Amino acid sequence: MLSVFVQCPLFQGVSEEELTAVLPCLKTRRVSYKKSETIFLEGQPVQDIGIVLSGEVHVIKEDYEGRRSVITSAQAGELFGEAFACAGVHQIPVSVVTAADSEIDFISLTHVLTSCSNACQFHSRIIQNLLRMIAEKNLRLNQKIDFMSQKTTKEKLLSYLFAQAKQMGSSDFSIPFDRQALADYLGVERSAMSAELSKLRREGKIDYYKNHFRLLQPSSSFKSSSGVDTGRI
């Protein structure tokens, strides 16, 4: 799993050799989960940061009637729970559940923030990475508010898909949600969303297969990180 840690943003700028030295200091513990298992339950305290080694997890919020809203997701190499652990909240306002069979490494926030007896020089870099990740997630949550503020299901869909295309630098991209999870994320009914997707396809605005999308109507160009034009939408 060392290759997964190297790709994890928490360890950005830390080499494999350095990771081999720092991981014993962090005292990670590994847990395997089946699909739809609960990792963190709303109302519980959270003191650990979770790193997804394989599978996928969803951070969800349920209303009084049991309707579920997906706040965000985390896939292999990504973190969850860091904001709540750093905030020191006694009761988290969300739950974290697995969207697939998953393997998770947990790191105590105390071990991340406290230098070990070996005076590991990599701790400061990891702390800087942690702060940056929390800030980036805050920006993504603000972006979700923008999606949710759109008036219609169609506008929410197009706003989300357009943002994903810009993030990927291409009009041809995949999203991290299946249909139900996407509906939960945007706060819309799945049937209404599926109808809008079909309508947008008939209108020649998008094409899709499962979670892979292509925006078809030209409006602005997208360039990949290499600077190569990857299409127009």
Side-chain angles (χ1 to χ4, degrees), residues 4 21 25 30 43 49 53 55 89 99 106 117-118 120 128 135 139-140 162-163 173 183 185 190 196 213 217 219 224:
V4 178
C25 304
R30 187 163 300 172
I49 297 171
L53 300 179
V89 294
F106 292 97
S117 58
N118 296 328
C120 177
Q128 290 172 3
L139 291 175
R140 287 199 293 270
F162 186 67
F173 57 91
Y185 179 77
R190 176 176 176 173
E196 287 294 345
F213 286 82
Q217 290 195 348
S219 61
S224 68

Side-chain angles (χ1 to χ4, degrees), residues 14 143 217:
V14 180
Q143 187 180 50
Q217 290 195 348

